Amino acid sequence: MADCNHDCEHCNEKEGCGDRQGKESFRQPCHPQNHIKKVIGVVSGKGGVGKSLVTSVLAVRMRRAGRKVSILDADITGPSIPRTFRLKGRVPMDEDGIYPARTKTGIGVMSINLLLPHETDPVVWRGPIIAGALQQFWTDVIYGDVDYLFVDMPPGTGDVPLTAYQMLPLDGVLVVASPQELVGMIVEKAVNMAKMMDIPVLGLIENYSYFKCPGCGREYSIFGRSRVDEVAQAYGLACRDRIPVDPELAGAVDAGTLEEADLPYLDNTLAMLEKL
């Protein structure tokens, strides 16, 4: 159909659609050498709210806890994970498949920047090509034995996020937002999209939540007061966390030294993920 949104599970066109498919028909098997226990998506209603930061912090802290961790950077047109870990150059590949890059502590990372001739080359691709690359990151990459595969999802609710939801066997998603977004409809759209795709929303993370004065220790809500508790309660989300505006954290990301940084954040989210 010309106006098809590919959400067959919630389509009103019950009869006469030759393209109709069940939810599982979109799933793609991962590489046969992979043994991945949990696939966790990190999502946002729009870009620039710290989704990649949350993905990276979760991966580092899970690795410190002794878990085997990898990151699939599904944000094909705006990849930022490699820089966070100071990863450059092309990843190796052979007849068996593609091998992710490894950070200093052993976190596997697959990102489009690790396949481009130059990391600053723009990805000027149309939707089907992006979807194909995303599929290869799942079907052709040898992550190996993984306890948690964190997926840095594309922002928004468009075609590429829809492809990721339909193709990947997500065990749940974490929604990342700033205080300003929590008063609007952006978070609601992200939550509702996950529910439409029958993916559990595991928790809500408020980034830029506050700034803590290094002198007096007082917290200042420079982007508006925190609303994470009330919004999480409104959507029935038991797990919620906050990340402040932290210059040292931002500096570690820019320098690619996140694995050496002090990361006293996301305790509630980590405890919840350990119980899945």
Side-chain angles (χ1 to χ4, degrees):
M1 297 181 65
D3 59 348
C4 178
N5 65 359
H6 307 294
D7 182 15
C8 298
E9 290 297 300
H10 300 86
C11 180
N12 292 324
E13 191 69 27
K14 301 296 183 183
E15 304 293 339
C17 179
D19 296 325
R20 187 172 182 82
Q21 301 182 63
K23 179 177 66 175
E24 296 303 320
S25 64
F26 292 99
R27 293 280 188 260
Q28 296 290 330
C30 67
H31 194 282
Q33 294 185 34
N34 291 334
H35 299 90
I36 301 172
K37 294 180 180 178
K38 298 295 179 183
V39 181
I40 306 298
V42 183
V43 308
S44 64
K46 61 183 289 294
V49 299
K51 176 174 48 64
S52 298
L53 170 66
V54 169
T55 302
S56 301
V57 171
L58 287 172
V60 170
R61 292 208 55 189
M62 274 295 189
R63 186 72 191 113
R64 289 178 182 176
R67 306 294 179 256
K68 297 176 182 177
V69 180
S70 286
I71 298 174
L72 190 164
D73 189 355
D75 194 353
I76 304 295
T77 58
S80 57
I81 296 293
R83 180 173 181 178
T84 301
F85 294 98
R86 203 185 292 171
L87 296 173
K88 294 186 177 182
R90 296 193 186 188
V91 292
M93 59 185 74
D94 58 24
E95 63 275 6
D96 291 328
I98 305 169
Y99 298 87
R102 294 285 171 182
T103 70
K104 292 180 180 179
T105 63
I107 299 171
V109 175
M110 188 63 231
S111 173
I112 194 66
N113 266 11
L114 301 174
L115 293 172
L116 298 174
H118 307 96
E119 63 177 9
T120 56
D121 289 348
V123 180
V124 188
W125 296 345
R126 295 192 182 275
I129 305 300
I130 295 174
L134 179 56
Q135 178 175 322
Q136 283 191 292
F137 285 3
W138 175 248
T139 60
D140 296 2
V141 177
I142 305 174
Y143 297 100
D145 292 330
V146 175
D147 295 316
Y148 293 92
L149 176 67
F150 291 105
V151 182
D152 186 5
M153 296 279 281
T157 56
D159 183 60
V160 179
L162 176 61
T163 298
Y165 272 112
Q166 291 178 322
M167 184 183 67
L168 300 173
L170 295 165
D171 293 286
V173 297
L174 298 164
V175 179
V176 183
S178 66
Q180 303 101 312
E181 292 172 328
L182 290 173
V183 302
M185 295 184 295
I186 294 177
V187 170
E188 186 173 358
K189 289 178 183 290
V191 171
N192 287 339
M193 182 176 186
K195 291 182 177 179
M196 283 179 61
M197 306 308 298
D198 295 322
I199 304 296
V201 180
L202 301 175
L204 178 63
I205 298 168
E206 183 181 69
N207 194 25
Y208 312 119
S209 184
Y210 59 91
F211 172 74
K212 188 173 183 178
C213 175
C216 66
R218 181 179 176 183
E219 294 183 2
Y220 292 89
S221 300
I222 57 180
F223 292 109
R225 70 176 180 86
S226 174
R227 298 178 182 271
V228 66
D229 290 333
E230 61 189 75
V231 174
Q233 184 175 9
Y235 295 121
L237 306 177
C239 181
R240 72 288 302 263
D241 258 317
R242 299 193 300 159
I243 298 180
V245 177
D246 184 346
E248 292 187 8
L249 179 60
V253 171
D254 289 341
T257 58
L258 191 67
E259 289 170 297
E260 294 112 58
D262 183 29
L263 300 174
Y265 309 119
L266 304 180
D267 287 350
N268 296 330
T269 303
L270 290 160
M272 176 272 298
L273 291 177
E274 289 280 17
K275 296 177 182 177
L276 287 181

